Amino acid sequence: MGAEATVKSKKYAYDYDQYKDGEKGPGTLIEDILADPEFLGLTEIVIGDWGNTWEESCQSILDVIAEQSDRFSHIESLFIGDMGYEECEVSWIKQGDYSRLWEAMPQLKELTIKGSTDLNLGQICHNGLESLTIICGGLPVSVIRQIQEAKLPNLKKLLLYIGVEYYGFDGTADTIKELLANADFPRLTYLGITDSEMQDELAQIVLESKYMEQIDTLDLSNGILTDKGGALLLEKLSSYPNIKKLDVHYNYLSQQMADDLEKLPFDIDVSEREGAEVYDGEIYMSAMLTE
């Protein structure tokens, strides 16, 4: 018999009927988590809709984790904000300040955050974190700078949804170039720079970055990647025998370019090819997650 899975995960959230009377919110959700008899047996908790997500942030959840950190010492994976658009649009999710989390959870290996409104990561310093994912419609420069300055010597996976200006991204392609030039993640093996309107330009920046020599997975998915970016990938990736997987699902590649990319000698996902829309003579393309 194979070994049993070590990750014991559970999602906590409220549905509409539970919070419509105004008595449920992030404060009561964290109380419910701690009172759950299954909680002590978990290694991962996923926090979904905490009730009035567009009005009240998850700060009280983060505060309890920091203040009662001993009660969360068995949690190695944390996802805060796991909800679909029918519960709360991603740009409406009110996030919080994670500054105290790094010291409070030294055992944490994976952190996933959905939503970027009011998001603050503080000074990131954590020896054990292996995976950091931020899913949003627009990632603020302030957060990108915090990641750039992070001390994460064991980070293996970095996945960032860059998004668009209307929903919070207030940088340029140079912002991402500076991130990749100045961040120091010596053990990084998975790099995801995704969900951007300028995916072709970001593809070139990533391909010219220092991390191309050490990663085995390159994720440029969910953005406006066209044949211009596809051609760059075809030209450059053969120089990096360390690459084992390329993810460009949700793209604007032609069928021919997708076929050519699939001939590369590693795993590749070119699914979900989108077609540009034309309206009044204008061509419209959009990143996957903007709203």
Side-chain angles (χ1 to χ4, degrees), residues 43-63:
T43 57
E44 176 181 73
I45 55 176
V46 178
I47 296 174
D49 191 349
W50 47 84
N52 49 352
T53 318
W54 55 92
E55 293 180 343
E56 190 173 0
S57 77
C58 61
Q59 193 61 51
S60 58
I61 295 173
L62 297 172
D63 289 344

PDB file of all heavy atoms in Angstrom, residues 43-63:
ATOM      1  N   THR A  43      -3.010  20.100   8.396  1.00  0.00           N
ATOM      2  CA  THR A  43      -1.753  20.779   8.075  1.00  0.00           C
ATOM      3  C   THR A  43      -1.996  21.954   7.129  1.00  0.00           C
ATOM      4  O   THR A  43      -1.103  22.762   6.916  1.00  0.00           O
ATOM      5  CB  THR A  43      -0.736  19.815   7.441  1.00  0.00           C
ATOM      6  OG1 THR A  43      -1.315  19.217   6.270  1.00  0.00           O
ATOM      7  CG2 THR A  43      -0.338  18.731   8.423  1.00  0.00           C
ATOM      8  N   GLU A  44      -3.207  22.009   6.570  1.00  0.00           N
ATOM      9  CA  GLU A  44      -3.542  23.108   5.655  1.00  0.00           C
ATOM     10  C   GLU A  44      -4.941  23.626   5.964  1.00  0.00           C
ATOM     11  O   GLU A  44      -5.873  22.844   6.151  1.00  0.00           O
ATOM     12  CB  GLU A  44      -3.495  22.635   4.201  1.00  0.00           C
ATOM     13  CG  GLU A  44      -3.932  23.705   3.197  1.00  0.00           C
ATOM     14  CD  GLU A  44      -3.887  23.200   1.765  1.00  0.00           C
ATOM     15  OE1 GLU A  44      -4.751  22.393   1.386  1.00  0.00           O
ATOM     16  OE2 GLU A  44      -2.977  23.615   1.027  1.00  0.00           O
ATOM     17  N   ILE A  45      -5.066  24.950   6.016  1.00  0.00           N
ATOM     18  CA  ILE A  45      -6.393  25.551   6.110  1.00  0.00           C
ATOM     19  C   ILE A  45      -6.580  26.517   4.945  1.00  0.00           C
ATOM     20  O   ILE A  45      -5.674  27.258   4.565  1.00  0.00           O
ATOM     21  CB  ILE A  45      -6.658  26.252   7.456  1.00  0.00           C
ATOM     22  CG1 ILE A  45      -5.597  27.296   7.782  1.00  0.00           C
ATOM     23  CG2 ILE A  45      -6.803  25.246   8.579  1.00  0.00           C
ATOM     24  CD1 ILE A  45      -5.911  28.067   9.059  1.00  0.00           C
ATOM     25  N   VAL A  46      -7.772  26.450   4.374  1.00  0.00           N
ATOM     26  CA  VAL A  46      -8.174  27.310   3.270  1.00  0.00           C
ATOM     27  C   VAL A  46      -9.337  28.157   3.759  1.00  0.00           C
ATOM     28  O   VAL A  46     -10.350  27.624   4.219  1.00  0.00           O
ATOM     29  CB  VAL A  46      -8.594  26.470   2.041  1.00  0.00           C
ATOM     30  CG1 VAL A  46      -9.061  27.381   0.910  1.00  0.00           C
ATOM     31  CG2 VAL A  46      -7.446  25.581   1.584  1.00  0.00           C
ATOM     32  N   ILE A  47      -9.180  29.461   3.679  1.00  0.00           N
ATOM     33  CA  ILE A  47     -10.202  30.378   4.161  1.00  0.00           C
ATOM     34  C   ILE A  47     -10.878  31.027   2.969  1.00  0.00           C
ATOM     35  O   ILE A  47     -10.240  31.717   2.174  1.00  0.00           O
ATOM     36  CB  ILE A  47      -9.596  31.434   5.096  1.00  0.00           C
ATOM     37  CG1 ILE A  47      -9.035  30.737   6.343  1.00  0.00           C
ATOM     38  CG2 ILE A  47     -10.633  32.482   5.487  1.00  0.00           C
ATOM     39  CD1 ILE A  47      -8.290  31.635   7.284  1.00  0.00           C
ATOM     40  N   GLY A  48     -12.173  30.762   2.845  1.00  0.00           N
ATOM     41  CA  GLY A  48     -12.947  31.329   1.752  1.00  0.00           C
ATOM     42  C   GLY A  48     -13.671  32.588   2.184  1.00  0.00           C
ATOM     43  O   GLY A  48     -13.140  33.399   2.937  1.00  0.00           O
ATOM     44  N   ASP A  49     -14.891  32.743   1.727  1.00  0.00           N
ATOM     45  CA  ASP A  49     -15.685  33.935   2.017  1.00  0.00           C
ATOM     46  C   ASP A  49     -15.937  34.028   3.517  1.00  0.00           C
ATOM     47  O   ASP A  49     -16.508  33.124   4.120  1.00  0.00           O
ATOM     48  CB  ASP A  49     -17.006  33.838   1.251  1.00  0.00           C
ATOM     49  CG  ASP A  49     -17.800  35.138   1.271  1.00  0.00           C
ATOM     50  OD1 ASP A  49     -17.439  36.043   2.038  1.00  0.00           O
ATOM     51  OD2 ASP A  49     -18.778  35.230   0.522  1.00  0.00           O
ATOM     52  N   TRP A  50     -15.504  35.125   4.125  1.00  0.00           N
ATOM     53  CA  TRP A  50     -15.711  35.284   5.567  1.00  0.00           C
ATOM     54  C   TRP A  50     -16.967  36.077   5.894  1.00  0.00           C
ATOM     55  O   TRP A  50     -17.180  36.497   7.013  1.00  0.00           O
ATOM     56  CB  TRP A  50     -14.498  35.907   6.252  1.00  0.00           C
ATOM     57  CG  TRP A  50     -13.922  37.110   5.565  1.00  0.00           C
ATOM     58  CD1 TRP A  50     -14.325  38.407   5.667  1.00  0.00           C
ATOM     59  CD2 TRP A  50     -12.782  37.111   4.689  1.00  0.00           C
ATOM     60  NE1 TRP A  50     -13.522  39.228   4.909  1.00  0.00           N
ATOM     61  CE2 TRP A  50     -12.567  38.459   4.301  1.00  0.00           C
ATOM     62  CE3 TRP A  50     -11.948  36.116   4.200  1.00  0.00           C
ATOM     63  CZ2 TRP A  50     -11.530  38.820   3.440  1.00  0.00           C
ATOM     64  CZ3 TRP A  50     -10.935  36.486   3.358  1.00  0.00           C
ATOM     65  CH2 TRP A  50     -10.725  37.816   2.976  1.00  0.00           C
ATOM     66  N   GLY A  51     -17.813  36.309   4.891  1.00  0.00           N
ATOM     67  CA  GLY A  51     -19.135  36.855   5.179  1.00  0.00           C
ATOM     68  C   GLY A  51     -19.429  38.166   4.507  1.00  0.00           C
ATOM     69  O   GLY A  51     -20.337  38.263   3.689  1.00  0.00           O
ATOM     70  N   ASN A  52     -18.692  39.183   4.862  1.00  0.00           N
ATOM     71  CA  ASN A  52     -18.879  40.501   4.261  1.00  0.00           C
ATOM     72  C   ASN A  52     -17.544  40.942   3.668  1.00  0.00           C
ATOM     73  O   ASN A  52     -17.004  41.984   3.997  1.00  0.00           O
ATOM     74  CB  ASN A  52     -19.381  41.513   5.295  1.00  0.00           C
ATOM     75  CG  ASN A  52     -18.559  41.490   6.579  1.00  0.00           C
ATOM     76  OD1 ASN A  52     -17.717  40.623   6.761  1.00  0.00           O
ATOM     77  ND2 ASN A  52     -18.790  42.440   7.453  1.00  0.00           N
ATOM     78  N   THR A  53     -17.047  40.114   2.789  1.00  0.00           N
ATOM     79  CA  THR A  53     -15.673  40.211   2.285  1.00  0.00           C
ATOM     80  C   THR A  53     -15.381  41.533   1.591  1.00  0.00           C
ATOM     81  O   THR A  53     -14.233  41.988   1.576  1.00  0.00           O
ATOM     82  CB  THR A  53     -15.413  39.047   1.299  1.00  0.00           C
ATOM     83  OG1 THR A  53     -15.983  37.858   1.844  1.00  0.00           O
ATOM     84  CG2 THR A  53     -13.945  38.837   1.083  1.00  0.00           C
ATOM     85  N   TRP A  54     -16.394  42.149   1.018  1.00  0.00           N
ATOM     86  CA  TRP A  54     -16.211  43.406   0.289  1.00  0.00           C
ATOM     87  C   TRP A  54     -16.288  44.621   1.223  1.00  0.00           C
ATOM     88  O   TRP A  54     -16.017  45.737   0.805  1.00  0.00           O
ATOM     89  CB  TRP A  54     -17.277  43.529  -0.805  1.00  0.00           C
ATOM     90  CG  TRP A  54     -18.675  43.388  -0.280  1.00  0.00           C
ATOM     91  CD1 TRP A  54     -19.503  44.387   0.141  1.00  0.00           C
ATOM     92  CD2 TRP A  54     -19.402  42.174  -0.109  1.00  0.00           C
ATOM     93  NE1 TRP A  54     -20.700  43.875   0.574  1.00  0.00           N
ATOM     94  CE2 TRP A  54     -20.674  42.512   0.426  1.00  0.00           C
ATOM     95  CE3 TRP A  54     -19.108  40.835  -0.359  1.00  0.00           C
ATOM     96  CZ2 TRP A  54     -21.642  41.540   0.712  1.00  0.00           C
ATOM     97  CZ3 TRP A  54     -20.078  39.880  -0.069  1.00  0.00           C
ATOM     98  CH2 TRP A  54     -21.320  40.230   0.451  1.00  0.00           C
ATOM     99  N   GLU A  55     -16.646  44.404   2.485  1.00  0.00           N
ATOM    100  CA  GLU A  55     -16.755  45.497   3.445  1.00  0.00           C
ATOM    101  C   GLU A  55     -15.738  45.392   4.577  1.00  0.00           C
ATOM    102  O   GLU A  55     -15.223  46.398   5.058  1.00  0.00           O
ATOM    103  CB  GLU A  55     -18.166  45.540   4.055  1.00  0.00           C
ATOM    104  CG  GLU A  55     -19.250  45.921   3.066  1.00  0.00           C
ATOM    105  CD  GLU A  55     -20.620  45.941   3.712  1.00  0.00           C
ATOM    106  OE1 GLU A  55     -20.779  45.360   4.801  1.00  0.00           O
ATOM    107  OE2 GLU A  55     -21.535  46.550   3.129  1.00  0.00           O
ATOM    108  N   GLU A  56     -15.483  44.166   5.035  1.00  0.00           N
ATOM    109  CA  GLU A  56     -14.588  43.946   6.164  1.00  0.00           C
ATOM    110  C   GLU A  56     -13.440  43.052   5.732  1.00  0.00           C
ATOM    111  O   GLU A  56     -13.653  42.025   5.094  1.00  0.00           O
ATOM    112  CB  GLU A  56     -15.352  43.304   7.319  1.00  0.00           C
ATOM    113  CG  GLU A  56     -14.571  43.256   8.618  1.00  0.00           C
ATOM    114  CD  GLU A  56     -15.412  42.777   9.786  1.00  0.00           C
ATOM    115  OE1 GLU A  56     -16.602  42.488   9.587  1.00  0.00           O
ATOM    116  OE2 GLU A  56     -14.863  42.684  10.892  1.00  0.00           O
ATOM    117  N   SER A  57     -12.232  43.455   6.094  1.00  0.00           N
ATOM    118  CA  SER A  57     -11.053  42.704   5.665  1.00  0.00           C
ATOM    119  C   SER A  57     -10.859  41.449   6.512  1.00  0.00           C
ATOM    120  O   SER A  57     -11.573  41.212   7.496  1.00  0.00           O
ATOM    121  CB  SER A  57      -9.808  43.592   5.772  1.00  0.00           C
ATOM    122  OG  SER A  57      -9.387  43.687   7.124  1.00  0.00           O
ATOM    123  N   CYS A  58      -9.851  40.684   6.149  1.00  0.00           N
ATOM    124  CA  CYS A  58      -9.497  39.476   6.890  1.00  0.00           C
ATOM    125  C   CYS A  58      -8.548  39.775   8.041  1.00  0.00           C
ATOM    126  O   CYS A  58      -7.959  38.846   8.615  1.00  0.00           O
ATOM    127  CB  CYS A  58      -8.877  38.448   5.949  1.00  0.00           C
ATOM    128  SG  CYS A  58      -7.356  39.032   5.149  1.00  0.00           S
ATOM    129  N   GLN A  59      -8.398  41.048   8.407  1.00  0.00           N
ATOM    130  CA  GLN A  59      -7.394  41.419   9.398  1.00  0.00           C
ATOM    131  C   GLN A  59      -7.577  40.721  10.740  1.00  0.00           C
ATOM    132  O   GLN A  59      -6.602  40.301  11.371  1.00  0.00           O
ATOM    133  CB  GLN A  59      -7.379  42.931   9.602  1.00  0.00           C
ATOM    134  CG  GLN A  59      -6.162  43.429  10.371  1.00  0.00           C
ATOM    135  CD  GLN A  59      -4.871  43.097   9.623  1.00  0.00           C
ATOM    136  OE1 GLN A  59      -4.729  43.391   8.445  1.00  0.00           O
ATOM    137  NE2 GLN A  59      -3.919  42.466  10.311  1.00  0.00           N
ATOM    138  N   SER A  60      -8.811  40.566  11.167  1.00  0.00           N
ATOM    139  CA  SER A  60      -9.022  39.909  12.463  1.00  0.00           C
ATOM    140  C   SER A  60      -8.572  38.453  12.421  1.00  0.00           C
ATOM    141  O   SER A  60      -8.110  37.904  13.436  1.00  0.00           O
ATOM    142  CB  SER A  60     -10.489  40.006  12.874  1.00  0.00           C
ATOM    143  OG  SER A  60     -11.344  39.423  11.913  1.00  0.00           O
ATOM    144  N   ILE A  61      -8.685  37.808  11.265  1.00  0.00           N
ATOM    145  CA  ILE A  61      -8.173  36.441  11.112  1.00  0.00           C
ATOM    146  C   ILE A  61      -6.657  36.433  11.249  1.00  0.00           C
ATOM    147  O   ILE A  61      -6.076  35.623  11.988  1.00  0.00           O
ATOM    148  CB  ILE A  61      -8.597  35.858   9.749  1.00  0.00           C
ATOM    149  CG1 ILE A  61     -10.119  35.706   9.670  1.00  0.00           C
ATOM    150  CG2 ILE A  61      -7.901  34.524   9.490  1.00  0.00           C
ATOM    151  CD1 ILE A  61     -10.637  35.292   8.311  1.00  0.00           C
ATOM    152  N   LEU A  62      -5.993  37.345  10.557  1.00  0.00           N
ATOM    153  CA  LEU A  62      -4.538  37.431  10.619  1.00  0.00           C
ATOM    154  C   LEU A  62      -4.062  37.780  12.022  1.00  0.00           C
ATOM    155  O   LEU A  62      -3.047  37.253  12.498  1.00  0.00           O
ATOM    156  CB  LEU A  62      -4.029  38.470   9.617  1.00  0.00           C
ATOM    157  CG  LEU A  62      -4.314  38.176   8.146  1.00  0.00           C
ATOM    158  CD1 LEU A  62      -3.944  39.378   7.283  1.00  0.00           C
ATOM    159  CD2 LEU A  62      -3.562  36.943   7.688  1.00  0.00           C
ATOM    160  N   ASP A  63      -4.808  38.650  12.714  1.00  0.00           N
ATOM    161  CA  ASP A  63      -4.427  39.054  14.070  1.00  0.00           C
ATOM    162  C   ASP A  63      -4.497  37.882  15.038  1.00  0.00           C
ATOM    163  O   ASP A  63      -3.604  37.705  15.884  1.00  0.00           O
ATOM    164  CB  ASP A  63      -5.324  40.196  14.553  1.00  0.00           C
ATOM    165  CG  ASP A  63      -5.039  41.509  13.847  1.00  0.00           C
ATOM    166  OD1 ASP A  63      -3.966  41.625  13.220  1.00  0.00           O
ATOM    167  OD2 ASP A  63      -5.885  42.423  13.928  1.00  0.00           O
TER     168      ASP A  63
END
